[in-house]
Amino acid sequence: MEFIDSRDGRPALFNVVDIFFISYAEGVDAVAGLTVAFPVMMVMILSSADDIGAASIISRRLGEKREEDPNMVFGTFIFLIMIISFISLFLRA
């Protein structure tokens, strides 16, 4: 089942199969489009993983009645997303 799941950032088997069939059906221009879109998808995967982690930490802190910690976690999360976005801009250039 590891080849089907790509949430951990490794290339998945279905991505390879998609590229094969798209290259067969549409040609090299469509494969170039997939190649350009892959880094964007990786940033989206990283962002969604961060969203899940931040939501989990914030909900645990709120459940423990620690009022200031969720604000600090949220600020750190926003800072992390800004760093990831900034790095992704340089990777695209």
Side-chain angles (χ1 to χ4, degrees):
M1 214 56 191
E2 264 183 53
F3 288 110
I4 297 174
D5 192 3
S6 67
R7 286 179 288 182
D8 59 357
R10 289 182 290 161
L13 182 60
F14 65 84
N15 289 338
V16 175
V17 172
D18 284 347
I19 288 174
F20 173 76
F21 282 110
I22 288 174
S23 68
Y24 182 74
E26 299 296 326
V28 294
D29 291 336
V31 174
L34 285 175
T35 304
V36 169
F38 182 73
V40 174
M41 294 301 296
M42 289 304 296
V43 169
M44 291 174 60
I45 289 170
L46 286 174
S47 296
S48 68
D50 291 339
D51 293 346
I52 293 168
S56 172
I57 293 170
I58 289 171
S59 63
R60 281 186 275 147
R61 297 297 192 273
L62 288 173
E64 295 170 353
K65 305 289 187 212
R66 294 161 62 180
E67 298 298 325
E68 293 300 318
D69 286 348
N71 294 331
M72 184 184 66
V73 170
F74 183 72
T76 305
F77 167 69
I78 294 297
F79 182 71
L80 180 65
I81 292 299
M82 288 172 51
I83 289 174
I84 290 172
S85 300
F86 190 68
I87 290 172
S88 69
L89 285 174
F90 285 114
L91 291 178
R92 292 180 63 195

